[in-house]
Each structure stands twice: as structure tokens, then as C-alpha cells.
Amino acid sequence: MATKIINKTVTELSLRITRCFFVPSKTIQTNATLFQERLETSITNVEEQLPTTIRPPLPIIHSRKLAFPPKFKAPRQVWVSNMDTVEEEKLGLIDLHPEVFAERPRVDIIHENVRWQQLYRHVSYANTKMRYEVRGGGKKPRQQKGSGRSRHGSIRSPIWRGGGIVHGPRSPTPYFYMLGFNTRLNGLRSTLSAKLAQDDLHIVDSLDIPTDDPSYLEKLVEERGWGPAVLFVDDNDIMPLNITAASDSHGHYNLMPVYGLNVYSMLKHHTLVLTLAAVERLEERLLFHLNRNDAASAGQKYRLDSV
Amino acid sequence: MASVAARSFVFRQQMNTRRFDFASCLKIKSFYSSYSANPKEKSPENYTQYHEVSSDNWKFVERLKPPTVVPSFPKNGSCFSDWTPPPDTPPNLPYFVKRTKNFMVPVYLNFEAVRNQRKITMVKHIEGDIWALEKAIKSHLEEVTKRQVVSQVHEVAMYIKFRGDYVLHVKKWLLNAGF
């Protein structure tokens, strides 16, 4: 098992994050060496695949300072779990800022965000020809007067069968628009609050798992009652090797950096798993945006009506 | 993954009687798009003189820049304007009206786009029993103005609108209520 971890190369894995470049780093070496040490000391039982993890006295994490401390709203307390074992071990209890995680979920704003995420990159390639594009129709079909029939200038005018279409689809038609800054911000807040309220939000200390076996993740998610689809969010966009390898074969276990967090992905996955680092970063960014006065300048570059 | 510097070859035709030599007529134009294509830095004597200023002087630049995040208000001292700071304890009411991020009371005057422009007073950032708040403000406004007041309660977005310009009345009521 230990050699399997070391010998696996980048080319054998298709990493989920497009910007994720694997760097053989200390992470793998420490995982592998620790694993080897434990293998030597642990009982050589065939059923016992994974070693027991060594932990300092709990709780490891017991306090957290909140930026922009809430005045009259109580912070929400959440358990911090581990990813080292299949069974859930609670490492501590932390506070989550109520303005980020305990907002009244606005379903209409969530819907607007989902619609925007789907539409802004949509380009319609449907096309119809106008009267000047349809082949033929340059010549006047018959004389203006004398035939007793109606007068026409072209056989491809819109009133003719086979003629051009007046207001039809014109390819390519972009549907790009930018949702307002506060709408996007409140979309994230509403979705995070809804996830927490519906017991679909879990905090873990880190995404380090002991093995790169895909079945480890399956067992873990099954054991803890996490939804079929899980979104793991970390602060860094270079994820540990083991979880990358384990989740690679599963389309429903996805890894994401904090800057990629969006309403559509959060709704698409049943469970959202944030690391402590991700929570810190997320709160810091969202609270900054909530308390800044120059948000209008952030959306300036997306304005379509101004130069 | 080194990127190749773009080059364009420009032919310069010689007007005089000199022989048309391929090598002499070529002028290679280099676009320095990569680190390795750039010329190496020479010793300091080749460039203009400069002297370093103490980094303590940066504070003079920083104080000119507007703050990115709303700074906290001073606790002591009175303001020359009508502004009063938000209270430390919330009032004992079934509803709460939160201050904006700039510590202002969230009452706004909107104009509805109808033929004869309609003035609307809007109260935002409401938490709790919105109907009780609406009843309280409405009764106060009807008492003060001695005419009927039309209101709209939006439970999803949590705001109340009153038809008419009652911004000052509503703000005063909210401040007296302890919001």
C-alpha cells in the first residue's frame, strides 16, 4: 500500500482541478513514511487495513476569533471533524459568523444566481437567413404593372414562401450579463446559511486522508451519512495527493478551492465539506465585501453599456 | 515552458547603388515577451541615479487613500450632525432594525416611476416580527400626519414601504425606539 502511494505519478491521474499541478512535496513523503511506521508497529491482521491515528488530547480546536464581531446575533457553533478515519471523530467546536452562515436564506436570490451562472456563458448558435442572405431574389419577379398580379420586388422577401426570416435567431447570440455585486454576495450567504440550517455543511480540519483508495471515501461518506454528492472545499488549489486520487474516479466527489465556491455547485452537491482554512478565508472575504463601500468599482469592468 | 519571442523581419530596400545583400537588409524586430529574451541588466552606472527614501514615508500616502473597509465610529464625543450611534443593547421588542454598514438608520426615499411621481418611504434591514413593526410605525404616522397611510410589507425581502414622504418621521421613531 505504501509503495503504491509513492509510485503513482501525475500522468496516471486526471486531476479534477484544471489549475492543479501536482508537485511531489513533503505531503506525500510524510504520509508514506508515517504509514510505513504504523504498518511495522501495528498488528498484522488481514482485516485491519488502516492503522489507528495518533492524536493529541482533544479538543484540538476550541476557539476562533470572528472578524467584525456580531453585535446581537449569536454565532453558530459547528463541530470540527476529521478525515483520517472512516468513523467520525469530533476534534472540537468552532464559531461561525452569523452574517455569513446564519442569514435568512433568500430563495429568489439563490434562483437568480443559479440562472445567471447557467446563462452568462450561454451562446446561442441558432441562425436563420435574412432576405439578403437567402440565395436568389435579386431580380424583380415580374413587371410592376400589367400582369394583373400583385407587385413584388424579390422572390426572397419575408412574405414569400422560402423567403428570408425577419426577426429570427442570429448566430452567435451571447446571453452574457453580470449579476449585481450584492446579489452575488447575498447568494453565497443564503446558500451557505441554507446548507448549514439543513445539516448539509460539515467542517473538517484538513483534507488529508491516509490512503488513495477510492473505496475509503465511499465508506467515509456512507458511514457519516453525507449525501451522495459531496463538495470538498479547501483554501489551497493544490489538494493533497490521496484525496485527489481517491475522488478522481468518482464524479460525485469533487474538490474545489475557496475562490471557486459558487451557488450552483453548492446546490448541485448534497453535502458541503469545508476545511478550517477554507472557513477562515471564506469568512474573511465575505465579511470584507459586506463592509466595504467601494463595491460599485468591483462591477465596473463588467458594465456593457459604458466604455 | 519557455515562450518564444515574436520576431518580425522587415526588408529595407537600398536606394543607392549598393549591392542588395540579404543579411544587411534584414532588420530583426524583437518583441520582448519572455524573461529570457530580455536583455540582461547592466551595472548601476549605466542607469540614472536614484536614492532610496525611508519606508516610513509610506504613511503619508496611506492617509490620503480612502479606507477600503468602513472604520468603526468613535465611542465618545458628540457629532455635530443629527447622527446618533447605535445602542449597545437592543430594545426589548419582537422586531429589530439593523443599522447599515455605515451605521445609518435604514430608511430611504424612493420614487416610483408613475405618471405623477410617487414618493415611497422604505424601511430595510428588518428582523423579527415585521407585521408588528409595520403596525407600530403605521399607527405613529397616522397619528402624526392625521391622514391614512398605505403600506406594503414584503416578507421575503424583509422591508416595509409607505406611500408618501415620511422619511424623517420614520427615522425619528426608529431612533426613539432604540434602533
Side-chain angles (χ1 to χ4, degrees):
Chain A
M1 266 291 246
T3 47
K4 206 162 127 189
I5 298 164
I6 301 163
N7 290 339
K8 264 249 167 87
T9 56
V10 178
T11 50
E12 290 171 60
L13 304 165
S14 59
L15 297 173
R16 199 153 298 284
I17 312 292
T18 50
R19 279 176 56 188
C20 196
F21 301 105
F22 171 62
V23 175
S25 67
K26 298 174 238 170
T27 333
I28 312 104
Q29 289 304 313
T30 48
N31 276 348
T33 47
L34 269 173
F35 201 76
Q36 261 181 324
E37 279 164 12
R38 285 179 199 147
L39 261 181
E40 282 154 16
T41 54
S42 67
I43 306 158
T44 49
N45 196 354
V46 181
E47 283 122 63
E48 213 177 271
Q49 292 291 318
L50 299 160
T52 52
T53 36
I54 308 139
R55 244 190 255 295
L58 299 172
I60 303 169
I61 308 116
H62 48 78
S63 69
R64 203 172 144 260
K65 192 171 175 287
L66 294 178
F68 299 99
K71 233 176 160 180
F72 307 131
K73 260 185 162 178
R76 299 298 185 260
Q77 296 195 311
V78 210
W79 287 111
V80 179
S81 330
N82 68 329
M83 290 283 285
D84 297 347
T85 57
V86 170
E87 290 84 26
E88 190 172 16
E89 271 181 43
K90 293 178 165 59
L91 304 176
L93 207 67
I94 56 160
D95 288 344
L96 293 179
H97 203 290
E99 279 186 22
V100 175
F101 289 97
E103 266 304 302
R104 207 183 155 92
R106 284 280 298 270
V107 188
D108 59 325
I109 290 179
I110 294 171
H111 167 258
E112 269 184 52
N113 273 271
V114 170
R115 181 183 185 266
W116 169 70
Q117 281 191 254
Q118 289 172 321
L119 256 191
Y120 82 92
R121 50 187 152 180
H122 175 60
V123 179
S124 170
Y125 298 105
N127 192 50
T128 52
K129 289 181 170 40
M130 305 240 290
R131 61 181 290 172
Y132 63 87
E133 286 169 337
V134 182
R135 192 148 172 99
K139 187 159 160 268
K140 195 169 167 68
R142 51 180 163 273
Q143 271 182 345
Q144 181 79 357
K145 300 184 78 59
S147 66
R149 297 171 69 188
S150 59
R151 53 190 180 179
H152 292 288
S154 148
I155 58 160
R156 299 301 186 207
S157 96
I159 65 174
W160 279 66
R161 178 195 169 276
I165 308 293
V166 184
H167 291 303
R170 301 293 286 163
S171 162
T173 309
Y175 286 84
F176 173 82
Y177 71 102
M178 210 58 198
L179 205 58
F181 184 88
N182 287 321
T183 314
R184 283 179 281 133
L185 178 65
N186 291 327
L188 283 171
R189 289 164 80 202
S190 288
T191 324
L192 286 166
S193 308
K195 281 285 179 205
L196 179 65
Q198 291 177 341
D199 204 22
D200 286 327
L201 184 82
H202 299 279
I203 316 284
V204 294
D205 59 337
S206 78
L207 293 179
D208 291 310
I209 57 174
T211 161
D212 63 352
D213 189 12
S215 66
Y216 177 83
L217 263 184
E218 280 174 36
K219 283 189 218 131
L220 188 146
V221 170
E222 185 65 41
E223 166 71 30
R224 300 181 188 201
W226 292 356
V230 184
L231 184 65
F232 296 96
V233 180
D234 196 4
D235 191 10
N236 205 358
D237 48 11
I238 299 171
M239 303 288 175
L241 170 64
N242 283 345
I243 194 159
T244 317
S247 62
D248 188 58
S249 53
H250 298 295
H252 47 283
Y253 300 144
N254 289 313
L255 309 175
M256 190 181 268
V258 162
Y259 60 77
L261 198 61
N262 58 90
V263 173
Y264 184 86
S265 293
M266 283 200 273
L267 292 179
K268 200 93 169 92
H269 296 80
H270 302 92
T271 312
L272 180 68
V273 175
L274 300 167
T275 57
L276 273 176
V279 168
E280 291 281 347
R281 189 93 170 117
L282 191 61
E283 268 197 17
E284 183 253 314
R285 288 276 85 206
L286 288 180
L287 288 168
F288 165 68
H289 289 309
L290 275 171
N291 288 282
R292 65 189 290 196
N293 269 327
D294 61 344
S297 63
Q300 203 65 29
K301 57 183 171 179
Y302 302 114
R303 287 185 65 179
L304 300 169
D305 54 351
S306 64
V307 177
Chain B
M1 210 163 63
S3 58
V4 180
R7 290 162 200 272
S8 74
F9 295 86
V10 176
F11 261 104
R12 205 197 300 136
Q13 271 198 322
Q14 301 298 315
M15 291 305 285
N16 51 18
T17 54
R18 213 163 68 142
R19 255 182 61 155
F20 190 74
D21 190 32
F22 184 80
S24 65
C25 287
L26 280 175
K27 185 184 179 196
I28 296 167
K29 236 174 159 185
S30 285
F31 296 94
Y32 300 118
S33 59
S34 78
Y35 177 78
S36 53
N38 271 307
K40 302 260 186 302
E41 195 185 310
K42 302 194 189 87
S43 60
E45 300 96 59
N46 300 90
Y47 302 102
T48 53
Q49 290 299 308
Y50 68 93
H51 59 276
E52 272 190 39
V53 182
S54 159
S55 59
D56 296 336
N57 292 348
W58 181 247
K59 64 173 187 284
F60 296 112
V61 176
E62 260 193 330
R63 70 182 193 187
L64 292 169
K65 284 160 59 182
T68 45
V69 183
V70 175
S72 186
F73 54 87
K75 298 284 178 171
N76 307 315
S78 62
C79 280
F80 297 109
S81 64
D82 289 339
W83 180 82
T84 48
D88 290 323
T89 52
N92 188 19
L93 292 162
Y95 40 79
F96 184 72
V97 181
K98 193 167 175 273
R99 294 276 182 116
T100 65
K101 60 172 173 263
N102 292 310
F103 313 108
M104 306 277 276
V105 177
V107 184
Y108 307 96
L109 182 65
N110 293 340
F111 293 94
E112 230 176 74
V114 291
R115 190 69 189 273
N116 298 317
Q117 212 174 42
R118 204 182 274 160
K119 290 175 198 144
I120 306 285
T121 309
M122 187 170 170
V123 184
K124 287 172 71 177
H125 301 303
I126 300 164
E127 290 159 23
D129 192 351
I130 192 167
W131 288 101
L133 174 65
E134 185 251 354
K135 200 171 170 184
I137 298 178
K138 195 167 176 175
S139 59
H140 170 75
L141 288 176
E142 281 175 349
E143 197 187 305
V144 167
T145 58
K146 303 212 180 11
R147 63 164 82 105
Q148 207 180 19
V149 172
V150 180
S151 67
Q152 180 207 356
V153 171
H154 199 294
E155 284 177 323
V156 174
M158 293 300 266
Y159 66 71
I160 304 169
K161 284 186 175 175
F162 298 101
R163 194 184 288 176
D165 183 3
Y166 305 118
V167 171
L168 291 172
H169 295 299
V170 175
K171 270 190 183 165
K172 210 170 169 181
W173 186 90
L174 286 169
L175 288 167
N176 283 337
F179 295 117

